[in-house]
Amino acid sequence: MSAAETWRKEGVLGGRFFFSIASSEGSTTDKFCSTIARDLVDYIPRLAPHVAGAVKRHPSFMRSSLEEQFQKLVIDPIHHSQGRVILVIDALDECKSGLQRRELVEMLSTAVRGAKNLKIFMTSRPDPVIQAALGPLSIKSKLEDRLHDAFHPDNIDDIAVYIHKSLDGVLSEDKRLRLVAKANGLFIWASTACRMLNSETTLDLPESIYDRLVSVDQTGEIDDIYKLVFERVDLRSYPAMSNMLALLLAAFEPLSTDDLDDIFKNLGLKWSSRALVQNLGSVLSVDSSTNLIQFRHPTLVEYLRRCSLASAPDKPNALHLDVTKAHGQAASWCLKRLMSRTDGLKFNICQLESSFRLNRDIPNLPTRILRLIPKALRYASSHWLFHVAETDDTWRSMVKRELEQIIQAPHVLHWMEVLSFTGGVPRAMAGLRAITRHTEAEMWDKASMDQIRRFIMTFSVPIQESAPHIYISALPFTPKKSILHIEGAKRYRNTLRVTEGLEEMYSGLPSSLRGHEFGVNAVGFSPDGSQIVSGSHDNTIRLWDAVTGQAVGEPLRGHEGP
């Protein structure tokens, strides 16, 4: 039984969050607080009213800072618990952003100081950002680097037991012992080697694979074993394998075998993802219930990224991944999914009987989403903007017609419905910033893209609260000369009509940004130019949208002096 399972059985587990470099949601802190809050309700039911109360008091909490979300959704409810509450945070090093890792550690340390019954159990590979943040903290109970100490006797003994059990009857004892020594305390090396030797799809004899394993240049060098895995693939399968790995690497969350087959079909390629994954069973796995393809270890993701950055190799069996091309292929597939007449976007996609209920009050909404919004459509709605942003102009020109369609009414409004139901509004706003930052204006109607972003920003609360209010509340109040207002008025004639007070067009950046109570002593732009940050003598820091001048979230408080 794991530590988390033991604590849950004892009734002290408050929540757990597993970071994963292979997942878009699992590799950032965006969903950290909402996930922990949901677990808190599930694991400690007596705190459910307090969490629900926090959501009711702060319906726009997702727009708040990480620290504010954690305080409102987690810390405040925990104050109502008499016993200890343990939060488990696994693989923190797989959070992609160093700034987010540092922010999370510092936030948790502050929280533990303020809530004496809160305990944090955190795991991570050695990471300089995390170590620097944890190092000076006096509140930490223990900071131990044991599992990554290759020479720790526990690690070597565990690997020996694993290899002997996995390869009993496959290799002789002396050869198993040599593999133990070759692993050099690195469990992922041992587990990958054992899967290669036990593979049912290879034509090589175990003795031949063993000879190649022990002949690699350095002990415990995982890159060498990954290289060996891919070199064993039939040269005729290399184009398909490289393309598949590039797609998996470019994907913002795990793809299923069905997704990959659909992408191949969209590209006119007659490849079988199941056959490809089966041949790479030592490094890839498929979930039997969801068919999702997973990398077996983060070190594989890191190795593949290095293969994507390197120049194309001279050797025919050396791996090179074209991730830019893969983003283009994924963008094309996403746009086809969105525009599909059978499984694509449509009006009232969740078949709501009434527009009077908020999303959270709709009975069985999660079941409706799973049944009526296919997984591929949910993926496409969340990530198409980022795939378009990350590819090159050649692929963007290839999907230009589909891009022009998706940003027009009614398709763009139907897309917002999916965002409303799936909680995808914040990601869409980030995607719209990314696509305008990474691409040339002539690729599409820049004015339309900008107005869509302004529409979502302005009406983000009603859009997130209730999908029908995209049409009922948001559309009628858009500026009169905006594209969405003109097209919406033609298409949805029975909605509200606003006769006075509407602006002609979205206003530009105001001459001054108002919000601070005292003088401003520092101003700066975010690296991507999308936001402005300002610090004031009122001891707050504020974020502003650089296009509209609107405040982003609540002021950041905490400083007691300039």
Side-chain angles (χ1 to χ4, degrees):
M1 184 179 292
S2 69
E5 289 169 339
T6 301
W7 290 328
R8 183 174 185 182
K9 192 174 181 180
E10 293 173 359
V12 297
L13 179 65
R16 49 189 175 183
F17 192 92
F18 298 142
F19 284 96
S20 171
I21 201 170
S23 163
S24 60
E25 291 186 355
S27 60
T28 74
T29 57
D30 294 349
K31 296 292 182 69
F32 177 82
C33 294
S34 57
T35 300
I36 295 294
R38 186 183 64 229
D39 285 351
L40 202 60
V41 170
D42 188 24
Y43 298 157
I44 309 179
R46 64 180 181 276
L47 297 182
H50 304 291
V51 176
V55 174
K56 189 173 182 179
R57 289 191 300 274
H58 310 284
S60 302
F61 67 88
M62 288 300 290
R63 299 170 65 186
S64 303
S65 67
L66 181 71
E67 187 173 3
E68 286 180 292
Q69 289 184 43
F70 196 69
Q71 182 67 41
K72 294 169 183 174
L73 297 178
V74 181
I75 297 302
D76 289 348
I78 284 177
H79 282 312
H80 295 276
S81 175
Q82 300 300 317
R84 62 176 178 155
V85 176
I86 301 174
L87 303 183
V88 175
I89 302 164
D90 186 48
L92 177 56
D93 60 288
E94 294 193 36
C95 176
K96 292 179 181 178
S97 168
L99 289 174
Q100 287 190 354
R101 296 197 297 274
R102 177 180 289 278
E103 180 188 23
L104 182 60
V105 171
E106 291 175 348
M107 179 196 74
L108 292 174
S109 67
T110 301
V112 169
R113 290 189 185 97
K116 301 301 182 184
N117 60 334
L118 175 63
K119 309 296 179 187
I120 307 292
F121 182 81
M122 186 187 306
T123 69
S124 167
R125 286 183 293 171
D127 177 82
V129 173
I130 297 171
Q131 289 171 322
L134 285 175
L137 295 180
S138 59
I139 58 170
K140 63 180 183 293
S141 174
K142 194 173 187 180
L143 178 62
E144 186 175 21
D145 182 8
R146 194 187 92 178
L147 294 179
H148 296 88
D149 177 1
F151 300 106
H152 195 287
D154 282 0
N155 290 345
I156 296 172
D157 291 346
D158 286 349
I159 286 173
V161 170
Y162 174 80
I163 287 178
H164 285 302
K165 185 174 181 180
S166 298
L167 301 179
D168 185 25
V170 178
L171 293 176
S172 61
E173 183 177 1
D174 63 315
K175 290 182 176 180
R176 299 198 302 268
L177 288 171
R178 190 168 179 191
L179 287 180
V180 172
K182 200 71 177 176
N184 200 35
L186 193 62
F187 183 80
I188 183 59
W189 194 101
S191 61
T192 306
C194 288
R195 281 194 295 271
M196 290 174 67
L197 287 158
N198 284 316
S199 173
E200 296 178 357
T201 61
T202 181
L203 299 178
D204 295 332
L205 294 172
E207 297 291 338
S208 173
I209 298 172
Y210 166 81
D211 289 340
R212 298 178 70 181
L213 285 169
V214 298
S215 67
V216 294
D217 295 336
Q218 296 180 350
T219 57
E221 192 64 42
I222 193 62
D223 276 18
D224 287 336
I225 199 168
Y226 287 146
K227 193 181 299 181
L228 181 58
V229 169
F230 297 123
E231 284 177 353
R232 291 172 57 235
V233 174
D234 191 321
L235 281 176
R236 291 171 297 180
S237 300
Y238 245 69
M241 179 191 71
S242 299
N243 204 155
M244 179 188 72
L245 291 172
L247 283 164
L248 294 177
L249 192 61
F252 294 102
E253 60 186 83
L255 298 173
S256 70
T257 51
D258 294 333
D259 293 333
L260 272 184
D261 286 340
D262 200 30
I263 294 174
F264 293 156
K265 182 179 178 181
N266 182 52
L267 297 170
L269 301 171
K270 296 180 179 180
W271 295 338
S272 166
S273 63
R274 286 189 176 277
L276 290 166
V277 172
Q278 192 175 26
N279 282 327
L280 294 175
S282 58
V283 292
L284 299 177
S285 65
V286 178
D287 186 287
S288 58
S289 59
T290 62
N291 290 329
L292 291 176
I293 303 169
Q294 302 275 5
F295 296 113
R296 288 193 179 273
H297 199 267
T299 55
L300 174 62
V301 179
E302 294 160 3
Y303 172 78
L304 294 177
R305 282 183 178 155
R306 290 193 290 275
C307 291
S308 70
L309 296 173
S311 57
D314 297 329
K315 296 180 180 179
N317 62 343
L319 188 65
H320 175 70
L321 305 183
D322 189 342
V323 175
T324 300
K325 175 183 174 182
H327 276 297
Q329 293 172 331
S332 174
W333 173 68
C334 285
L335 291 165
K336 288 285 175 60
R337 290 292 94 221
L338 293 171
M339 301 304 297
S340 169
R341 294 189 177 186
T342 54
D343 299 318
L345 300 170
K346 54 177 68 79
F347 177 73
N348 193 17
I349 193 167
C350 280
Q351 299 177 6
L352 305 185
E353 296 83 5
S354 168
S355 61
F356 294 107
R357 286 176 168 161
L358 299 177
N359 289 350
R360 62 175 175 267
D361 297 328
I362 298 170
N364 303 317
L365 181 59
T367 304
R368 290 187 188 224
I369 293 172
L370 289 174
R371 180 169 58 88
L372 298 170
I373 308 179
K375 180 187 174 299
L377 182 58
R378 297 198 298 271
Y379 179 97
S381 297
S382 294
H383 307 305
W384 70 272
L385 288 162
F386 293 92
H387 284 304
V388 173
E390 294 297 330
T391 192
D392 55 23
D393 287 344
T394 301
W395 272 96
R396 291 187 196 112
S397 63
M398 291 169 65
V399 298
K400 185 177 180 180
R401 185 173 63 85
E402 289 86 354
L403 282 169
E404 290 171 344
Q405 284 182 306
I406 191 62
I407 63 175
Q408 301 299 321
H411 310 301
V412 69
L413 299 172
H414 298 168
W415 170 55
M416 291 180 200
E417 278 194 50
V418 177
L419 298 179
S420 175
F421 289 126
T422 59
V425 170
R427 182 159 177 80
M429 289 193 289
L432 287 164
R433 283 196 299 269
I435 202 171
T436 53
R437 188 171 67 247
H438 284 81
T439 58
E440 298 296 329
E442 58 266 20
M443 282 294 169
W444 46 69
D445 185 347
K446 189 176 185 299
S448 293
M449 295 296 288
D450 183 59
Q451 288 182 31
I452 290 166
R453 178 169 170 257
R454 299 288 292 272
F455 179 90
I456 293 177
M457 282 189 61
T458 303
F459 301 105
S460 63
V461 173
I463 292 172
Q464 292 179 91
E465 290 286 317
S466 172
H469 279 266
I470 295 168
Y471 310 94
I472 297 171
S473 300
L475 203 54
F477 287 92
T478 53
K480 288 189 290 186
K481 292 186 178 180
S482 68
I483 298 168
L484 281 180
H485 186 92
I486 295 168
E487 293 183 352
K490 293 177 183 177
R491 191 170 291 271
Y492 304 104
R493 298 182 182 277
N494 294 325
T495 55
L496 182 69
R497 288 286 180 271
V498 181
T499 57
E500 292 186 17
L502 285 184
E503 295 179 335
E504 292 287 315
M505 186 50 75
Y506 291 105
S507 58
L509 184 65
S511 58
S512 61
L513 305 177
R514 301 185 181 275
H516 287 296
E517 298 175 2
F518 296 104
V520 174
N521 52 20
V523 177
F525 278 88
S526 62
D528 62 4
S530 66
Q531 293 183 331
I532 300 170
V533 61
S534 59
S536 167
H537 287 291
D538 62 9
N539 298 335
T540 67
I541 295 173
R542 285 180 174 267
L543 290 175
W544 313 84
D545 184 271
V547 175
T548 66
Q550 292 178 330
V552 178
E554 298 295 323
L556 305 177
R557 306 181 187 277
H559 293 291
E560 298 178 355

